[in-house]
Amino acid sequence: MKTRLILPSLLLICLSGCAGGKKTEPVSIIFETDMGNDVDDALALDMLYKYREAGRVNFLMMATNKKSEYSAAFLDLMNTWYGHDIPTGVVAGSNDLPDNAGSYVRAVCELKDDDGKPVFGRTLKSFPKAVELYRKTLAGQPDHSVYIVSVGFSTNLAQLLDTPADSYSPLTGRELVAKKVRLLSAMMGHFTDNGFREFNVNCDIPAARKVISEWPTEIVASPYEVGDVILYPASSIENDFNWGMPHPLVTGYKNYLPMPYDRQTWDLTSLLYAVENDKSFFGTSGPGTISVSEDAITTFTPDPDGKHSYLKVTPEQAGLIRQHFIDLITRKPEKYKLQN
């Protein structure tokens, strides 16, 4: 099958950064997530840890734009289980649906063993505000070096644009982004259905409109229709993680919807593009301008001088990407490789 062209051994070569005999420099990533609304965020976070372990990513920080105690708690739990120490920020105010509590992140956080102890450990008890962590992180990075992967609402990003100068930088938020960020890779919008109100946009429309209209760097959107045709298989969740230990991603996946189900990989596509855009996984729209209406409809206008674009995928590309996701996510984390 063509979906088997990228074998695990080839994946390891690719991830180690070997291309034409030259080592690929790690990509500096900030991960912006609404962890808890959909399990694809957790799949994407697993990918980020694997990329970091392979030297492909400099994982700077992550922030949740979902106003739920379990969202940040799950991020800390994942950091702890995978053995990574990634600074984590939380949103200040959010238009997130109050009754969308994120059942799978809560289930993982509250899971107890037979002795009543948490199955998955935690490290942190409190978290800084996301915009403060953004300013601190961006101020310390080389100019035009940071890739922000946004796979949730635009709340934190909109707030960042409005921040004033502070002890971290004399620049305003917009100036700081323009100076330090190279690309915003965002899972947002729908460009083949003119009546579709995509979830990430719809949950905080004012923030999405602000970011799309005011963000000073290039934006590449991975729209709904791309991740919708690339499904992560339930068979992998059921068969590829028999490592003799509880796994928070697997536990979360099984608690998100009744098994078995294959799940769309919306968020994973934005991450894949940011980290591996030197490969031909996707097609693109070409340059133009994205706009967001007051009722959350996204449209794209071609413009050779535009700084926006969106991803496209062919059936053959979708198959290759699907297998790439499976090969990467089913690799055992470095922390557990010596265990049976």
Side-chain angles (χ1 to χ4, degrees), residues 306-336:
K307 61 183 180 181
H308 302 161
S309 61
Y310 66 89
L311 302 181
K312 298 181 178 181
V313 68
T314 67
E316 182 177 23
Q317 287 172 321
L320 290 171
I321 292 169
R322 175 183 180 273
Q323 189 58 48
H324 195 59
F325 288 157
I326 295 169
D327 290 339
L328 183 54
I329 291 169
T330 57
R331 286 178 56 210
K332 186 174 286 190
E334 293 291 335
K335 181 178 177 180
Y336 302 103

PDB file of all heavy atoms in Angstrom, residues 306-336:
ATOM      1  N   GLY A 306      -0.387  38.944  -0.491  1.00  0.00           N
ATOM      2  CA  GLY A 306      -0.989  38.553   0.777  1.00  0.00           C
ATOM      3  C   GLY A 306      -0.037  37.735   1.634  1.00  0.00           C
ATOM      4  O   GLY A 306       0.846  37.037   1.126  1.00  0.00           O
ATOM      5  N   LYS A 307      -0.249  37.792   2.951  1.00  0.00           N
ATOM      6  CA  LYS A 307       0.613  37.052   3.875  1.00  0.00           C
ATOM      7  C   LYS A 307      -0.102  35.848   4.503  1.00  0.00           C
ATOM      8  O   LYS A 307       0.414  35.252   5.454  1.00  0.00           O
ATOM      9  CB  LYS A 307       1.137  37.975   4.968  1.00  0.00           C
ATOM     10  CG  LYS A 307       0.072  38.602   5.847  1.00  0.00           C
ATOM     11  CD  LYS A 307       0.695  39.558   6.852  1.00  0.00           C
ATOM     12  CE  LYS A 307      -0.376  40.198   7.741  1.00  0.00           C
ATOM     13  NZ  LYS A 307       0.222  41.144   8.704  1.00  0.00           N
ATOM     14  N   HIS A 308      -1.265  35.512   3.950  1.00  0.00           N
ATOM     15  CA  HIS A 308      -1.992  34.348   4.419  1.00  0.00           C
ATOM     16  C   HIS A 308      -2.017  33.273   3.331  1.00  0.00           C
ATOM     17  O   HIS A 308      -1.934  33.584   2.138  1.00  0.00           O
ATOM     18  CB  HIS A 308      -3.444  34.699   4.775  1.00  0.00           C
ATOM     19  CG  HIS A 308      -3.579  35.752   5.813  1.00  0.00           C
ATOM     20  ND1 HIS A 308      -4.746  36.468   5.996  1.00  0.00           N
ATOM     21  CD2 HIS A 308      -2.715  36.218   6.742  1.00  0.00           C
ATOM     22  CE1 HIS A 308      -4.581  37.326   6.986  1.00  0.00           C
ATOM     23  NE2 HIS A 308      -3.358  37.200   7.447  1.00  0.00           N
ATOM     24  N   SER A 309      -2.169  32.021   3.761  1.00  0.00           N
ATOM     25  CA  SER A 309      -2.412  30.916   2.836  1.00  0.00           C
ATOM     26  C   SER A 309      -3.065  29.796   3.628  1.00  0.00           C
ATOM     27  O   SER A 309      -3.143  29.849   4.859  1.00  0.00           O
ATOM     28  CB  SER A 309      -1.110  30.432   2.180  1.00  0.00           C
ATOM     29  OG  SER A 309      -0.201  29.955   3.153  1.00  0.00           O
ATOM     30  N   TYR A 310      -3.541  28.780   2.938  1.00  0.00           N
ATOM     31  CA  TYR A 310      -4.095  27.631   3.644  1.00  0.00           C
ATOM     32  C   TYR A 310      -3.656  26.339   2.965  1.00  0.00           C
ATOM     33  O   TYR A 310      -3.302  26.323   1.778  1.00  0.00           O
ATOM     34  CB  TYR A 310      -5.621  27.706   3.772  1.00  0.00           C
ATOM     35  CG  TYR A 310      -6.403  27.610   2.489  1.00  0.00           C
ATOM     36  CD1 TYR A 310      -6.812  26.371   1.979  1.00  0.00           C
ATOM     37  CD2 TYR A 310      -6.787  28.759   1.786  1.00  0.00           C
ATOM     38  CE1 TYR A 310      -7.553  26.290   0.808  1.00  0.00           C
ATOM     39  CE2 TYR A 310      -7.523  28.686   0.623  1.00  0.00           C
ATOM     40  CZ  TYR A 310      -7.910  27.439   0.142  1.00  0.00           C
ATOM     41  OH  TYR A 310      -8.644  27.370  -1.020  1.00  0.00           O
ATOM     42  N   LEU A 311      -3.671  25.257   3.753  1.00  0.00           N
ATOM     43  CA  LEU A 311      -3.192  23.964   3.283  1.00  0.00           C
ATOM     44  C   LEU A 311      -4.263  23.224   2.497  1.00  0.00           C
ATOM     45  O   LEU A 311      -5.459  23.366   2.746  1.00  0.00           O
ATOM     46  CB  LEU A 311      -2.747  23.101   4.465  1.00  0.00           C
ATOM     47  CG  LEU A 311      -1.646  23.675   5.368  1.00  0.00           C
ATOM     48  CD1 LEU A 311      -1.309  22.681   6.475  1.00  0.00           C
ATOM     49  CD2 LEU A 311      -0.404  24.037   4.569  1.00  0.00           C
ATOM     50  N   LYS A 312      -3.794  22.403   1.560  1.00  0.00           N
ATOM     51  CA  LYS A 312      -4.641  21.487   0.816  1.00  0.00           C
ATOM     52  C   LYS A 312      -3.976  20.118   0.846  1.00  0.00           C
ATOM     53  O   LYS A 312      -2.777  19.997   1.090  1.00  0.00           O
ATOM     54  CB  LYS A 312      -4.795  21.953  -0.636  1.00  0.00           C
ATOM     55  CG  LYS A 312      -5.462  23.312  -0.810  1.00  0.00           C
ATOM     56  CD  LYS A 312      -5.575  23.656  -2.298  1.00  0.00           C
ATOM     57  CE  LYS A 312      -6.288  24.977  -2.519  1.00  0.00           C
ATOM     58  NZ  LYS A 312      -6.430  25.298  -3.964  1.00  0.00           N
ATOM     59  N   VAL A 313      -4.757  19.078   0.569  1.00  0.00           N
ATOM     60  CA  VAL A 313      -4.199  17.737   0.595  1.00  0.00           C
ATOM     61  C   VAL A 313      -4.884  16.873  -0.451  1.00  0.00           C
ATOM     62  O   VAL A 313      -6.108  16.944  -0.623  1.00  0.00           O
ATOM     63  CB  VAL A 313      -4.332  17.120   2.009  1.00  0.00           C
ATOM     64  CG1 VAL A 313      -5.782  16.852   2.376  1.00  0.00           C
ATOM     65  CG2 VAL A 313      -3.500  15.866   2.144  1.00  0.00           C
ATOM     66  N   THR A 314      -4.104  16.082  -1.175  1.00  0.00           N
ATOM     67  CA  THR A 314      -4.646  15.113  -2.122  1.00  0.00           C
ATOM     68  C   THR A 314      -4.895  13.795  -1.401  1.00  0.00           C
ATOM     69  O   THR A 314      -4.353  13.565  -0.308  1.00  0.00           O
ATOM     70  CB  THR A 314      -3.664  14.873  -3.271  1.00  0.00           C
ATOM     71  OG1 THR A 314      -2.490  14.222  -2.742  1.00  0.00           O
ATOM     72  CG2 THR A 314      -3.268  16.178  -3.962  1.00  0.00           C
ATOM     73  N   PRO A 315      -5.689  12.900  -1.981  1.00  0.00           N
ATOM     74  CA  PRO A 315      -5.883  11.586  -1.345  1.00  0.00           C
ATOM     75  C   PRO A 315      -4.565  10.847  -1.106  1.00  0.00           C
ATOM     76  O   PRO A 315      -4.397  10.199  -0.069  1.00  0.00           O
ATOM     77  CB  PRO A 315      -6.775  10.848  -2.339  1.00  0.00           C
ATOM     78  CG  PRO A 315      -7.560  11.930  -3.014  1.00  0.00           C
ATOM     79  CD  PRO A 315      -6.599  13.077  -3.143  1.00  0.00           C
ATOM     80  N   GLU A 316      -3.630  10.926  -2.039  1.00  0.00           N
ATOM     81  CA  GLU A 316      -2.349  10.256  -1.848  1.00  0.00           C
ATOM     82  C   GLU A 316      -1.582  10.887  -0.689  1.00  0.00           C
ATOM     83  O   GLU A 316      -1.008  10.181   0.160  1.00  0.00           O
ATOM     84  CB  GLU A 316      -1.515  10.324  -3.122  1.00  0.00           C
ATOM     85  CG  GLU A 316      -0.182   9.589  -2.992  1.00  0.00           C
ATOM     86  CD  GLU A 316       0.617   9.599  -4.272  1.00  0.00           C
ATOM     87  OE1 GLU A 316       0.393  10.494  -5.109  1.00  0.00           O
ATOM     88  OE2 GLU A 316       1.474   8.708  -4.434  1.00  0.00           O
ATOM     89  N   GLN A 317      -1.560  12.212  -0.620  1.00  0.00           N
ATOM     90  CA  GLN A 317      -0.896  12.889   0.495  1.00  0.00           C
ATOM     91  C   GLN A 317      -1.554  12.531   1.821  1.00  0.00           C
ATOM     92  O   GLN A 317      -0.867  12.315   2.829  1.00  0.00           O
ATOM     93  CB  GLN A 317      -0.925  14.403   0.282  1.00  0.00           C
ATOM     94  CG  GLN A 317       0.012  14.910  -0.797  1.00  0.00           C
ATOM     95  CD  GLN A 317      -0.193  16.381  -1.102  1.00  0.00           C
ATOM     96  OE1 GLN A 317      -1.333  16.870  -1.124  1.00  0.00           O
ATOM     97  NE2 GLN A 317       0.893  17.099  -1.348  1.00  0.00           N
ATOM     98  N   ALA A 318      -2.870  12.462   1.831  1.00  0.00           N
ATOM     99  CA  ALA A 318      -3.585  12.121   3.060  1.00  0.00           C
ATOM    100  C   ALA A 318      -3.164  10.755   3.578  1.00  0.00           C
ATOM    101  O   ALA A 318      -2.981  10.558   4.787  1.00  0.00           O
ATOM    102  CB  ALA A 318      -5.091  12.170   2.819  1.00  0.00           C
ATOM    103  N   GLY A 319      -3.002   9.794   2.668  1.00  0.00           N
ATOM    104  CA  GLY A 319      -2.575   8.462   3.078  1.00  0.00           C
ATOM    105  C   GLY A 319      -1.166   8.451   3.649  1.00  0.00           C
ATOM    106  O   GLY A 319      -0.892   7.795   4.666  1.00  0.00           O
ATOM    107  N   LEU A 320      -0.267   9.176   3.032  1.00  0.00           N
ATOM    108  CA  LEU A 320       1.101   9.267   3.530  1.00  0.00           C
ATOM    109  C   LEU A 320       1.157   9.951   4.888  1.00  0.00           C
ATOM    110  O   LEU A 320       1.884   9.518   5.787  1.00  0.00           O
ATOM    111  CB  LEU A 320       1.963  10.024   2.525  1.00  0.00           C
ATOM    112  CG  LEU A 320       2.262   9.314   1.200  1.00  0.00           C
ATOM    113  CD1 LEU A 320       2.938  10.274   0.228  1.00  0.00           C
ATOM    114  CD2 LEU A 320       3.139   8.090   1.427  1.00  0.00           C
ATOM    115  N   ILE A 321       0.390  11.012   5.050  1.00  0.00           N
ATOM    116  CA  ILE A 321       0.370  11.736   6.323  1.00  0.00           C
ATOM    117  C   ILE A 321      -0.183  10.843   7.429  1.00  0.00           C
ATOM    118  O   ILE A 321       0.354  10.808   8.549  1.00  0.00           O
ATOM    119  CB  ILE A 321      -0.463  13.028   6.186  1.00  0.00           C
ATOM    120  CG1 ILE A 321       0.257  14.025   5.266  1.00  0.00           C
ATOM    121  CG2 ILE A 321      -0.710  13.658   7.559  1.00  0.00           C
ATOM    122  CD1 ILE A 321      -0.595  15.210   4.872  1.00  0.00           C
ATOM    123  N   ARG A 322      -1.249  10.132   7.135  1.00  0.00           N
ATOM    124  CA  ARG A 322      -1.850   9.234   8.128  1.00  0.00           C
ATOM    125  C   ARG A 322      -0.815   8.241   8.650  1.00  0.00           C
ATOM    126  O   ARG A 322      -0.679   8.043   9.868  1.00  0.00           O
ATOM    127  CB  ARG A 322      -3.036   8.504   7.511  1.00  0.00           C
ATOM    128  CG  ARG A 322      -3.683   7.445   8.405  1.00  0.00           C
ATOM    129  CD  ARG A 322      -4.812   6.750   7.647  1.00  0.00           C
ATOM    130  NE  ARG A 322      -5.477   5.733   8.437  1.00  0.00           N
ATOM    131  CZ  ARG A 322      -5.073   4.459   8.517  1.00  0.00           C
ATOM    132  NH1 ARG A 322      -3.986   4.087   7.866  1.00  0.00           N
ATOM    133  NH2 ARG A 322      -5.737   3.598   9.255  1.00  0.00           N
ATOM    134  N   GLN A 323      -0.084   7.607   7.746  1.00  0.00           N
ATOM    135  CA  GLN A 323       0.912   6.635   8.186  1.00  0.00           C
ATOM    136  C   GLN A 323       2.058   7.303   8.937  1.00  0.00           C
ATOM    137  O   GLN A 323       2.603   6.749   9.890  1.00  0.00           O
ATOM    138  CB  GLN A 323       1.459   5.852   6.995  1.00  0.00           C
ATOM    139  CG  GLN A 323       2.346   4.685   7.392  1.00  0.00           C
ATOM    140  CD  GLN A 323       1.623   3.695   8.285  1.00  0.00           C
ATOM    141  OE1 GLN A 323       0.487   3.286   7.980  1.00  0.00           O
ATOM    142  NE2 GLN A 323       2.243   3.310   9.393  1.00  0.00           N
ATOM    143  N   HIS A 324       2.410   8.501   8.526  1.00  0.00           N
ATOM    144  CA  HIS A 324       3.457   9.265   9.224  1.00  0.00           C
ATOM    145  C   HIS A 324       3.033   9.533  10.663  1.00  0.00           C
ATOM    146  O   HIS A 324       3.837   9.391  11.595  1.00  0.00           O
ATOM    147  CB  HIS A 324       3.690  10.577   8.477  1.00  0.00           C
ATOM    148  CG  HIS A 324       4.949  11.282   8.857  1.00  0.00           C
ATOM    149  ND1 HIS A 324       6.199  10.720   8.737  1.00  0.00           N
ATOM    150  CD2 HIS A 324       5.160  12.537   9.362  1.00  0.00           C
ATOM    151  CE1 HIS A 324       7.122  11.585   9.133  1.00  0.00           C
ATOM    152  NE2 HIS A 324       6.512  12.700   9.521  1.00  0.00           N
ATOM    153  N   PHE A 325       1.782   9.915  10.864  1.00  0.00           N
ATOM    154  CA  PHE A 325       1.267  10.142  12.216  1.00  0.00           C
ATOM    155  C   PHE A 325       1.352   8.860  13.046  1.00  0.00           C
ATOM    156  O   PHE A 325       1.786   8.881  14.204  1.00  0.00           O
ATOM    157  CB  PHE A 325      -0.183  10.619  12.163  1.00  0.00           C
ATOM    158  CG  PHE A 325      -0.365  12.030  11.669  1.00  0.00           C
ATOM    159  CD1 PHE A 325      -1.577  12.439  11.122  1.00  0.00           C
ATOM    160  CD2 PHE A 325       0.652  12.961  11.761  1.00  0.00           C
ATOM    161  CE1 PHE A 325      -1.762  13.735  10.681  1.00  0.00           C
ATOM    162  CE2 PHE A 325       0.478  14.268  11.321  1.00  0.00           C
ATOM    163  CZ  PHE A 325      -0.728  14.656  10.773  1.00  0.00           C
ATOM    164  N   ILE A 326       0.918   7.755  12.472  1.00  0.00           N
ATOM    165  CA  ILE A 326       0.928   6.481  13.204  1.00  0.00           C
ATOM    166  C   ILE A 326       2.350   6.108  13.604  1.00  0.00           C
ATOM    167  O   ILE A 326       2.622   5.744  14.760  1.00  0.00           O
ATOM    168  CB  ILE A 326       0.280   5.358  12.361  1.00  0.00           C
ATOM    169  CG1 ILE A 326      -1.196   5.650  12.123  1.00  0.00           C
ATOM    170  CG2 ILE A 326       0.446   4.004  13.058  1.00  0.00           C
ATOM    171  CD1 ILE A 326      -1.840   4.740  11.082  1.00  0.00           C
ATOM    172  N   ASP A 327       3.283   6.191  12.661  1.00  0.00           N
ATOM    173  CA  ASP A 327       4.667   5.814  12.937  1.00  0.00           C
ATOM    174  C   ASP A 327       5.273   6.661  14.049  1.00  0.00           C
ATOM    175  O   ASP A 327       6.033   6.169  14.890  1.00  0.00           O
ATOM    176  CB  ASP A 327       5.515   5.950  11.668  1.00  0.00           C
ATOM    177  CG  ASP A 327       5.178   4.914  10.610  1.00  0.00           C
ATOM    178  OD1 ASP A 327       4.595   3.868  10.968  1.00  0.00           O
ATOM    179  OD2 ASP A 327       5.495   5.142   9.432  1.00  0.00           O
ATOM    180  N   LEU A 328       4.942   7.926  14.050  1.00  0.00           N
ATOM    181  CA  LEU A 328       5.510   8.841  15.045  1.00  0.00           C
ATOM    182  C   LEU A 328       4.885   8.647  16.415  1.00  0.00           C
ATOM    183  O   LEU A 328       5.580   8.516  17.431  1.00  0.00           O
ATOM    184  CB  LEU A 328       5.327  10.282  14.570  1.00  0.00           C
ATOM    185  CG  LEU A 328       5.915  11.400  15.425  1.00  0.00           C
ATOM    186  CD1 LEU A 328       7.406  11.160  15.672  1.00  0.00           C
ATOM    187  CD2 LEU A 328       5.702  12.748  14.756  1.00  0.00           C
ATOM    188  N   ILE A 329       3.578   8.608  16.464  1.00  0.00           N
ATOM    189  CA  ILE A 329       2.876   8.546  17.749  1.00  0.00           C
ATOM    190  C   ILE A 329       3.077   7.208  18.447  1.00  0.00           C
ATOM    191  O   ILE A 329       3.089   7.138  19.689  1.00  0.00           O
ATOM    192  CB  ILE A 329       1.374   8.865  17.538  1.00  0.00           C
ATOM    193  CG1 ILE A 329       1.232  10.352  17.172  1.00  0.00           C
ATOM    194  CG2 ILE A 329       0.544   8.535  18.769  1.00  0.00           C
ATOM    195  CD1 ILE A 329      -0.155  10.734  16.695  1.00  0.00           C
ATOM    196  N   THR A 330       3.263   6.143  17.705  1.00  0.00           N
ATOM    197  CA  THR A 330       3.416   4.820  18.324  1.00  0.00           C
ATOM    198  C   THR A 330       4.850   4.519  18.740  1.00  0.00           C
ATOM    199  O   THR A 330       5.109   3.437  19.278  1.00  0.00           O
ATOM    200  CB  THR A 330       2.915   3.715  17.375  1.00  0.00           C
ATOM    201  OG1 THR A 330       3.631   3.794  16.127  1.00  0.00           O
ATOM    202  CG2 THR A 330       1.429   3.845  17.122  1.00  0.00           C
ATOM    203  N   ARG A 331       5.771   5.452  18.534  1.00  0.00           N
ATOM    204  CA  ARG A 331       7.118   5.285  19.064  1.00  0.00           C
ATOM    205  C   ARG A 331       7.092   5.451  20.580  1.00  0.00           C
ATOM    206  O   ARG A 331       6.465   6.362  21.111  1.00  0.00           O
ATOM    207  CB  ARG A 331       8.065   6.324  18.467  1.00  0.00           C
ATOM    208  CG  ARG A 331       8.465   6.087  17.025  1.00  0.00           C
ATOM    209  CD  ARG A 331       9.356   7.198  16.531  1.00  0.00           C
ATOM    210  NE  ARG A 331      10.522   7.347  17.367  1.00  0.00           N
ATOM    211  CZ  ARG A 331      11.167   8.499  17.568  1.00  0.00           C
ATOM    212  NH1 ARG A 331      10.720   9.609  17.000  1.00  0.00           N
ATOM    213  NH2 ARG A 331      12.235   8.539  18.330  1.00  0.00           N
ATOM    214  N   LYS A 332       7.791   4.584  21.276  1.00  0.00           N
ATOM    215  CA  LYS A 332       7.841   4.687  22.734  1.00  0.00           C
ATOM    216  C   LYS A 332       8.674   5.912  23.124  1.00  0.00           C
ATOM    217  O   LYS A 332       9.750   6.138  22.572  1.00  0.00           O
ATOM    218  CB  LYS A 332       8.457   3.422  23.334  1.00  0.00           C
ATOM    219  CG  LYS A 332       8.415   3.378  24.859  1.00  0.00           C
ATOM    220  CD  LYS A 332       8.905   2.045  25.407  1.00  0.00           C
ATOM    221  CE  LYS A 332       7.881   0.950  25.202  1.00  0.00           C
ATOM    222  NZ  LYS A 332       8.252  -0.287  25.959  1.00  0.00           N
ATOM    223  N   PRO A 333       8.204   6.724  24.065  1.00  0.00           N
ATOM    224  CA  PRO A 333       8.990   7.881  24.524  1.00  0.00           C
ATOM    225  C   PRO A 333      10.337   7.448  25.089  1.00  0.00           C
ATOM    226  O   PRO A 333      10.493   6.339  25.596  1.00  0.00           O
ATOM    227  CB  PRO A 333       8.102   8.501  25.614  1.00  0.00           C
ATOM    228  CG  PRO A 333       6.721   8.032  25.295  1.00  0.00           C
ATOM    229  CD  PRO A 333       6.892   6.662  24.720  1.00  0.00           C
ATOM    230  N   GLU A 334      11.322   8.337  24.998  1.00  0.00           N
ATOM    231  CA  GLU A 334      12.670   8.034  25.475  1.00  0.00           C
ATOM    232  C   GLU A 334      12.664   7.561  26.936  1.00  0.00           C
ATOM    233  O   GLU A 334      13.433   6.681  27.314  1.00  0.00           O
ATOM    234  CB  GLU A 334      13.562   9.266  25.337  1.00  0.00           C
ATOM    235  CG  GLU A 334      13.847   9.692  23.900  1.00  0.00           C
ATOM    236  CD  GLU A 334      14.727   8.704  23.167  1.00  0.00           C
ATOM    237  OE1 GLU A 334      15.486   7.971  23.827  1.00  0.00           O
ATOM    238  OE2 GLU A 334      14.651   8.646  21.919  1.00  0.00           O
ATOM    239  N   LYS A 335      11.781   8.128  27.731  1.00  0.00           N
ATOM    240  CA  LYS A 335      11.743   7.803  29.152  1.00  0.00           C
ATOM    241  C   LYS A 335      11.454   6.332  29.402  1.00  0.00           C
ATOM    242  O   LYS A 335      11.860   5.777  30.436  1.00  0.00           O
ATOM    243  CB  LYS A 335      10.665   8.668  29.830  1.00  0.00           C
ATOM    244  CG  LYS A 335      10.516   8.478  31.322  1.00  0.00           C
ATOM    245  CD  LYS A 335       9.456   9.408  31.883  1.00  0.00           C
ATOM    246  CE  LYS A 335       9.230   9.187  33.368  1.00  0.00           C
ATOM    247  NZ  LYS A 335       8.191  10.092  33.912  1.00  0.00           N
ATOM    248  N   TYR A 336      10.785   5.674  28.460  1.00  0.00           N
ATOM    249  CA  TYR A 336      10.334   4.300  28.677  1.00  0.00           C
ATOM    250  C   TYR A 336      11.004   3.280  27.761  1.00  0.00           C
ATOM    251  O   TYR A 336      10.646   2.109  27.783  1.00  0.00           O
ATOM    252  CB  TYR A 336       8.810   4.225  28.496  1.00  0.00           C
ATOM    253  CG  TYR A 336       8.078   5.149  29.426  1.00  0.00           C
ATOM    254  CD1 TYR A 336       7.546   6.343  28.962  1.00  0.00           C
ATOM    255  CD2 TYR A 336       7.948   4.858  30.777  1.00  0.00           C
ATOM    256  CE1 TYR A 336       6.888   7.218  29.815  1.00  0.00           C
ATOM    257  CE2 TYR A 336       7.289   5.712  31.634  1.00  0.00           C
ATOM    258  CZ  TYR A 336       6.767   6.898  31.159  1.00  0.00           C
ATOM    259  OH  TYR A 336       6.116   7.758  32.008  1.00  0.00           O
TER     260      TYR A 336
END
